[in-house]
Amino acid sequence: MSYAPDGQHQPYRSEGQYQQQPYGTSYAQPYEPQQHHEPPYGPPHPPYGEPEELEDNRRRPRRGRRWLIAGVSVLALAGIAAGVMYHFEIPPFTDKGKDVSFGQPAAGGKTGGGDVKQAANSKALMPTGPKAEFKNSMTLGDGTHVAVTTLDGKKSGFKGKVWVWAPKEYNDPKFAKSGFPVMIALPGGAGYPNNYWMGTDLGLQTSISKWYAEGKSKPFILAMPVLNPAGDEKGIYWDASDIPGQPKMGTWLTEDVPDLMKENFRTIKSRDGWAYMGSSTGGFASLKAVLQHPDKFKAAICSGPDIVPDSSLWKGHDKEKAENNPELLAKALIDKKGAPDVYLAFQVGDNENNKKTLPDVQKFIATYGKGPIHTSMRVIPGGQHNAKTYVPNMGEGPIQFISKVLEGPVE
């Protein structure tokens, strides 16, 4: 007996063909010539007298099919290999690491304005240069790029990575003379060695494009710098501030990073084109930056933010700590005559791991949401303390709140 691959019993070829003769039957039968004989062994041969060329012609189509199958198999394997090499970013199957110009001349150029002529009262600021060297980090489905550069901060003295992204409208010829608003996006956690907003898994870039198409948002250029100068393995962080004796992360975030964007992109001259957004510690940093520098930045989206500085590095520096406290900064802004208006959009989940986050933000709004400080609040039903909660909910109010008071694109 033999068995098919599925385990079903199959007879031999001759099984069932033999029939036992009844007793008494004579086996002496008259000879009857047979018209066709099967060869007893081996493959069948051509019929007698048939030319060999016919057999060759019969075989050729089979050979052709074999070559076709082999060719298709090779192409399939090549496609799989290319996909694997692209996934693991192996050249030449990926554009990661390639130069990204964002419409600028080669790195080192003194100016990015080119031959664009502007009116004396133009609101747009052409790139001032020098051009930074941006390398592609990833390419989005719409052809836009997230690129990275290493910025040697002239004012802070800190050297770190900054990721940038410009929406597809930035390269639209109709906006060739237009300045675009900038949003500085800050992460929570360590914020080092990466800024998690640079990844496309959270959908910040695609969301901005979608919201702009829906009329909810400005077409922001994103700047995504590292938040801290090192990891937080020992629970140490820098509160986005210039803590005495430490790297000047406050200056890095509010001076050097904006300067990088002005040097390389068409931006907006006034504070009407500058905003922050961030979650957790990045939310605190965004809140503080706008309250500390209302002459430079107009708005912020603060998601699940801390409200007061609490780094252990402040020990022995109470004066400087107070100068970086959003509550005290807000009070000073309210008390200042002629203070510029600022716009703070808060969003907090009602299921945050720190149960004080929501009441702390509500208390801040109740106490300081007046005078020049304009606030909005979105409580996210079931929302947790993570970026995946915050991004989609930005489109449900916060992004509209700040976009209404910001400008761009403008000439």
Side-chain angles (χ1 to χ4, degrees):
M1 298 293 178
S2 67
Y3 294 86
D6 63 359
Q8 290 180 332
H9 166 70
Q10 300 290 329
Y12 279 118
R13 182 179 177 184
S14 62
E15 188 176 339
Q17 294 178 352
Y18 173 77
Q19 293 181 353
Q20 186 177 12
Q21 300 293 328
Y23 292 109
T25 301
S26 172
Y27 287 91
Q29 302 292 334
Y31 175 76
E32 294 181 5
Q34 301 295 316
Q35 296 300 316
H36 301 286
H37 291 275
E38 281 190 5
Y41 305 104
H45 296 285
Y48 298 111
E50 196 168 306
E52 290 294 330
E53 289 83 1
L54 180 58
E55 176 65 11
D56 291 339
N57 290 335
R58 287 177 175 176
R59 289 176 179 173
R60 283 190 189 113
R62 294 181 182 179
R63 291 172 183 168
R65 286 194 295 272
R66 292 192 192 104
W67 281 110
L68 177 62
I69 293 170
V72 171
S73 299
V74 169
L75 290 174
L77 289 172
I80 293 171
V84 170
M85 295 176 80
Y86 182 86
H87 176 76
F88 288 102
E89 299 170 344
I90 301 173
F93 295 95
T94 177
D95 57 359
K96 183 174 182 179
K98 292 185 177 180
D99 291 336
V100 178
S101 68
F102 293 107
Q104 286 275 62
K110 292 183 179 180
T111 178
D115 296 326
V116 176
K117 295 182 180 180
Q118 292 182 280
N121 61 347
S122 173
K123 294 182 178 181
L125 176 66
M126 292 295 113
T128 63
K131 170 77 169 63
E133 185 179 72
F134 291 106
K135 297 294 184 180
N136 192 39
S137 180
M138 61 193 66
T139 301
L140 279 66
D142 63 358
T144 59
H145 302 282
V146 176
V148 63
T149 191
T150 298
L151 172 62
D152 193 349
K154 297 181 180 65
K155 296 177 181 177
S156 67
F158 174 71
K159 186 176 183 179
K161 289 184 177 181
V162 182
W163 288 263
V164 298
W165 173 80
K168 62 182 180 180
E169 288 77 17
Y170 185 80
N171 289 320
D172 189 326
K174 73 179 181 181
F175 292 124
K177 298 180 180 180
S178 299
F180 278 67
V182 175
M183 177 182 285
I184 300 173
L186 304 177
Y192 179 93
N194 296 321
N195 178 323
Y196 57 56
W197 296 119
M198 52 75 73
T200 57
D201 56 321
L202 295 172
L204 178 59
Q205 294 84 2
T206 54
S207 293
I208 288 175
S209 294
K210 174 177 175 288
W211 296 329
Y212 176 63
E214 295 172 347
K216 296 179 178 179
S217 173
K218 298 296 184 183
F220 291 102
I221 301 171
L222 292 180
M224 299 162 279
V226 294
L227 180 62
N228 288 307
D232 60 354
E233 292 83 2
K234 298 180 180 179
I236 296 175
Y237 47 93
W238 283 257
D239 270 338
S241 303
D242 292 356
I243 300 175
Q246 299 293 329
K248 295 182 178 180
M249 301 313 295
T251 300
W252 159 260
L253 295 171
T254 61
E255 297 281 349
D256 290 329
V257 172
D259 285 349
L260 172 73
M261 304 308 288
K262 293 173 185 177
E263 290 167 358
N264 291 275
F265 293 89
R266 302 188 307 275
T267 58
I268 296 174
K269 291 178 181 178
S270 74
R271 74 189 193 102
D272 293 334
W274 294 85
Y276 281 84
M277 67 80 66
S279 58
S280 193
T281 302
F284 165 84
S286 300
L287 172 64
K288 181 174 73 73
V290 173
L291 292 173
Q292 200 169 41
H293 303 283
D295 56 324
K296 297 179 181 179
F297 312 106
K298 192 172 186 178
I301 296 176
C302 311
S303 302
D306 301 321
I307 296 299
V308 296
D310 58 2
S311 171
S312 60
L313 296 172
W314 287 115
K315 187 176 181 180
H317 305 290
D318 291 344
K319 176 179 178 295
E320 292 82 1
K321 183 178 180 179
E323 292 170 351
N324 287 273
N325 187 326
E327 291 182 335
L328 299 180
L329 291 168
K331 183 179 184 303
L333 191 62
I334 293 169
D335 293 342
K336 183 180 180 180
K337 292 183 180 180
D341 291 330
V342 296
Y343 297 81
L344 306 173
F346 294 92
Q347 58 172 1
V348 183
D350 63 7
N351 193 29
E352 300 261 348
N353 56 339
N354 183 351
K355 301 307 178 184
K356 290 186 61 181
T357 301
L358 180 55
D360 284 351
V361 170
Q362 291 171 328
K363 180 182 177 182
F364 179 90
I365 292 174
T367 306
Y368 304 107
K370 57 186 177 182
I373 301 177
H374 306 270
T375 62
S376 74
M377 177 65 172
R378 174 170 172 75
V379 178
I380 304 169
Q384 298 180 336
H385 190 75
N386 57 60
K388 290 184 177 180
T389 291
Y390 301 137
V391 172
N393 282 280
M394 282 173 57
E396 301 301 321
I399 198 71
Q400 295 96 318
F401 182 77
I402 69 167
S403 292
K404 287 178 181 178
V405 298
L406 295 171
E407 291 189 329
V410 295
E411 292 188 14

